[in-house]
Amino acid sequence: AVRALVCLQQQLRRWRWRRQQQQHMAASVNGSIVLSGSLLKRGPIASCNWKERWFVLTCARLVEYRDKSCHEKLSSDWLAERSRSCRFSRSAAPGDAVKHRSSRPFGFAVDLKPDTGKDRRIVYLDAKDKDTLALWLNALRLVSESRKRAVILHIYDVGHMTTGLNRI
């Protein structure tokens, strides 16, 4: 009974921490940095090694740095409104994700432009634990949703402006 209580307390602490992080992310999507942290990244082909890198997710980009100091930027990928992220374990995971399902249980792929064909850029990452994986997937989803809303608002604004010009 004591062991079960301790386990329950640990789960509750993890849940509160995750909830706190999600609330922080939701509040900061309109700001600059949404989330940052250390992730493992695979090279461009399936046989490449996985290297630890520091990632910064903003409301428009996924930026990769060599380390936490952020002195050396290695890549900066624009997140389109159609960008999506998916765990390796899901059947809908893109590209080479299936090759890493068993060896990378906390891995996920970021498909930057899913509608651009088979030679599109897909970033393969490993969060190293389930809480970090949940944070990154949630943050990427929030950013993608905010990009979709921005595009819809922009189209509305341009349409509204054009309608106003037609009256002149």
Side-chain angles (χ1 to χ4, degrees), residues 27-87:
S28 63
V29 163
N30 295 327
S32 184
I33 293 178
V34 176
L35 184 63
S36 64
S38 176
L39 297 169
L40 295 173
K41 182 188 177 199
R42 191 200 81 180
I45 57 175
S47 61
C48 283
N49 290 335
W50 291 78
K51 295 184 180 177
E52 190 157 354
R53 299 290 187 225
W54 187 261
F55 283 87
V56 175
L57 178 64
T58 70
C59 54
R61 294 187 174 277
L62 180 62
V63 185
E64 174 191 4
Y65 293 95
R66 185 165 304 281
D67 56 34
K68 190 176 181 175
S69 70
C70 299
H71 290 304
E72 187 179 349
K73 187 190 307 183
L74 300 176
S75 69
S76 179
D77 293 304
W78 182 260
L79 294 168
E81 65 273 5
R82 296 197 192 282
S83 296
R84 65 184 186 98
S85 54
C86 184
R87 296 171 191 247

Side-chain angles (χ1 to χ4, degrees), residues 145-165:
E145 287 173 2
S146 72
R147 304 280 304 144
K148 287 175 190 169
R149 282 194 301 274
V151 168
I152 290 168
L153 288 173
H154 178 70
I155 289 170
Y156 171 78
D157 290 343
V158 169
H160 182 67
M161 191 169 62
T162 305
T163 305
L165 291 174

Side-chain angles (χ1 to χ4, degrees), residues 134-153:
L135 279 175
W136 278 95
L137 289 175
N138 190 41
L140 287 159
R141 182 185 53 77
L142 286 171
V143 167
S144 179
E145 287 173 2
S146 72
R147 304 280 304 144
K148 287 175 190 169
R149 282 194 301 274
V151 168
I152 290 168
L153 288 173

Side-chain angles (χ1 to χ4, degrees), residues 93-154:
D96 293 336
V98 69
K99 296 177 181 178
H100 305 296
R101 279 187 185 153
S102 59
S103 62
R104 302 282 174 185
F106 307 112
F108 62 102
V110 181
D111 197 347
L112 298 165
K113 294 181 182 176
D115 53 353
T116 57
K118 70 175 190 150
D119 293 328
R120 66 190 185 266
R121 180 155 156 69
I122 301 172
V123 182
Y124 299 95
L125 302 168
D126 186 354
K128 300 179 270 185
D129 65 67
K130 69 178 181 179
D131 292 334
T132 306
L133 173 64
L135 279 175
W136 278 95
L137 289 175
N138 190 41
L140 287 159
R141 182 185 53 77
L142 286 171
V143 167
S144 179
E145 287 173 2
S146 72
R147 304 280 304 144
K148 287 175 190 169
R149 282 194 301 274
V151 168
I152 290 168
L153 288 173
H154 178 70

